[in-house]
Amino acid sequence: MREFIVEADGGSRGNPGPAGYGSVVLDAATGETLVETYEYLGVVTNNVAEYRGLLAGLRAAHDLDPSASVHVRMDSKLVVEQMSGRWKIKHPDMKPLAREAGRVYPPGQVTYEWIPREQNKHADRLANEAMDSGASASSVRKLSSAEAVADVRAPKDEADVRAAKAVASPGWAPADMGAPAVFVLLRHGETPLTPQKRFSGSGGTDPALSDIGREQARRAAEALAERGTIQHILASPLTRTRETAAAVADRLGIEVTVEDGLIETDFGAWEGLTFGEVRERYPDDLTTWLSDPEAEPTGGGESFAATATRIAATRDRLVAAYAGRTVLLVTHVTPIKTFVRLALGAPPESLFRMELSAASISAVAYYADGNASVRLLNDTSHLRP
């Protein structure tokens, strides 16, 4: 019996947004690329694009040999687990696609494996080329071995040129500068200090999550898995953020990278105290701190101005490193509010006018021209019964 490997990927720039997929059929014995297929899909979600990529890859393999055994490799944990029967399919747009994919080959002829994104570069490149070139990208190609090697190693200049020439539709939309870097900002779950509203920064006791906080982290992980767009996870080095990030990482199958720039503000001598206790013990320092972003908490903590400088530098470095990618940043109240404040161009006092709950989700997109767009703030819908 002949054996094929199908590698597939899909992406959406906006979720939903302009989307495309790429699929590759390989000869399992030789590694030869037999078929490439990719298509621009219009505006759909990331998960729908991934399922469309899977379906296209299976159909391409079936056209080659309907009796072959097929091993599917994808970096979408959601699709792999759902098609393997271990996770339920809840989204109405994905159910018919999953059923259709399951009917291409008889049961038992197809197996599924999750792989890291770095091992799915061929399909990922095709999906991005489909999105870059818009509606004109729809192609199925059967390749010889020489053509396959040349194509895999070819530079992405043509795709880059197409993307640079693309323009947005008339109206409010800006010129198309490619996919933005999207930072999904997750505040850590509750610690024992959270419900007591005590200052808990980087200079305190570094508390771990409470039982409630661990449940919040689990629910956030489920919500982010349903979202399906997270490609990387970065976390503040503090215990509560690393524990929250670990819950998401376990659910998504993505490793966590510790990022020191995401650490919470140091609240100096106020660490562990409530607002009322600080007002009672250090009234003058508190009054100054509330009115002056350059003021430090008692005992030489970090001012809001210093935090903003640190977050801006972290933002710029991460935007450059993750251009066009969706990254989960698991961090704290002050850093998240600062990301949002800087994106809006709001004054420092706006920090006191934002509500940010434990385990809430926010999102900011950063574009190539330096502009940013706040897409979500303090979403806690996943924490409701």
Side-chain angles (χ1 to χ4, degrees):
M1 178 185 291
R2 198 171 184 188
E3 296 183 9
F4 296 138
I5 294 173
V6 170
E7 296 179 348
D9 198 11
S12 172
R13 294 169 177 173
N15 200 39
Y21 69 72
S23 303
V24 186
V25 182
L26 308 170
D27 186 297
T30 66
E32 176 186 354
T33 300
L34 305 174
V35 179
E36 287 182 341
T37 176
Y38 58 97
E39 182 180 2
Y40 176 74
L41 299 173
V43 176
V44 300
T45 66
N46 187 72
N47 292 147
V48 167
E50 289 171 336
Y51 264 103
R52 289 289 299 273
L54 167 64
L55 183 57
L58 289 173
R59 285 173 171 169
H62 189 271
D63 288 344
L64 291 174
D65 189 345
S67 66
S69 65
V70 179
H71 185 62
V72 175
R73 293 156 44 93
M74 298 182 68
D75 58 59
S76 171
K77 187 79 168 178
L78 182 75
V79 174
V80 168
E81 294 297 317
Q82 287 179 342
M83 290 302 299
S84 298
R86 291 186 288 270
W87 291 359
K88 292 183 179 180
I89 304 173
K90 299 178 181 179
H91 199 285
D93 291 343
M94 291 188 283
K95 287 181 179 180
L97 292 171
R99 285 195 296 268
E100 196 171 353
R103 289 195 293 261
V104 175
Y105 278 94
Q109 275 186 235
V110 182
T111 57
Y112 291 86
E113 176 190 3
W114 176 84
I115 58 174
R117 180 167 294 273
E118 292 72 20
Q119 296 179 23
N120 202 28
K121 290 181 178 179
H122 194 165
D124 177 73
R125 175 174 60 80
L126 293 173
N128 276 286
E129 287 187 8
M131 288 183 278
D132 287 340
S133 53
S136 63
S138 179
S139 177
V140 177
R141 290 189 289 166
K142 293 184 178 181
L143 306 176
S144 69
S145 297
E147 289 172 327
V149 171
D151 187 71
V152 170
R153 295 179 180 175
K156 298 174 69 175
D157 294 348
E158 292 183 9
D160 293 340
V161 170
R162 285 197 299 268
K165 289 182 177 179
V167 294
S169 58
W172 292 101
D176 183 1
M177 292 164 289
V182 178
F183 292 172
V184 179
L185 306 165
L186 174 61
R187 186 189 170 194
H188 60 81
E190 283 190 10
T191 75
L193 300 181
T194 306
Q196 300 175 27
K197 298 188 181 300
R198 295 184 179 275
F199 283 92
S200 183
S202 57
T205 58
D206 191 18
L209 295 179
S210 63
D211 289 343
I212 291 175
R214 284 188 285 273
E215 174 60 17
Q216 290 172 333
R218 185 193 67 79
R219 292 192 181 193
E222 290 297 327
L224 292 166
E226 192 70 24
R227 176 188 178 99
T229 58
I230 303 300
Q231 297 167 292
H232 306 274
I233 301 176
L234 280 66
S236 153
L238 297 182
T239 300
R240 53 195 181 273
T241 40
R242 288 190 288 107
E243 289 181 338
T244 302
V248 180
D250 288 345
R251 182 66 175 81
L252 300 185
I254 301 175
E255 293 185 359
V256 176
T257 299
V258 173
E259 170 54 59
D260 291 340
L262 298 176
I263 201 167
E264 179 60 291
T265 299
D266 182 348
F267 294 111
W270 302 351
E271 295 279 358
L273 302 180
T274 66
F275 194 86
E277 289 169 340
V278 172
R279 188 195 300 277
E280 180 180 337
R281 300 182 192 184
Y282 310 103
D284 294 339
D285 290 352
L286 181 62
T287 298
T288 303
W289 181 73
L290 291 173
S291 60
D292 182 2
E294 299 283 349
E296 297 177 349
T298 306
E302 188 179 23
S303 69
F304 282 148
T307 299
T309 299
R310 167 167 59 84
I311 293 300
T314 301
R315 174 203 61 196
D316 293 347
R317 179 164 45 81
L318 296 182
V319 166
Y322 296 100
R325 315 295 271 179
T326 299
V327 186
L328 178 66
L329 307 183
V330 187
T331 178
H332 309 265
V333 169
T334 312
I336 293 174
K337 288 184 176 182
T338 302
F339 274 111
V340 172
R341 178 181 82 75
L342 294 174
L344 294 174
E349 55 265 29
S350 64
L351 295 177
F352 299 114
R353 294 173 173 81
M354 297 183 207
E355 179 69 23
L356 203 72
S357 304
S360 63
I361 298 174
S362 304
V364 180
Y366 299 91
Y367 295 88
D369 64 351
N371 284 321
S373 173
V374 177
R375 295 184 172 181
L376 189 67
L377 179 64
N378 197 41
D379 179 16
T380 57
S381 58
H382 51 286
L383 303 179
R384 298 169 193 159

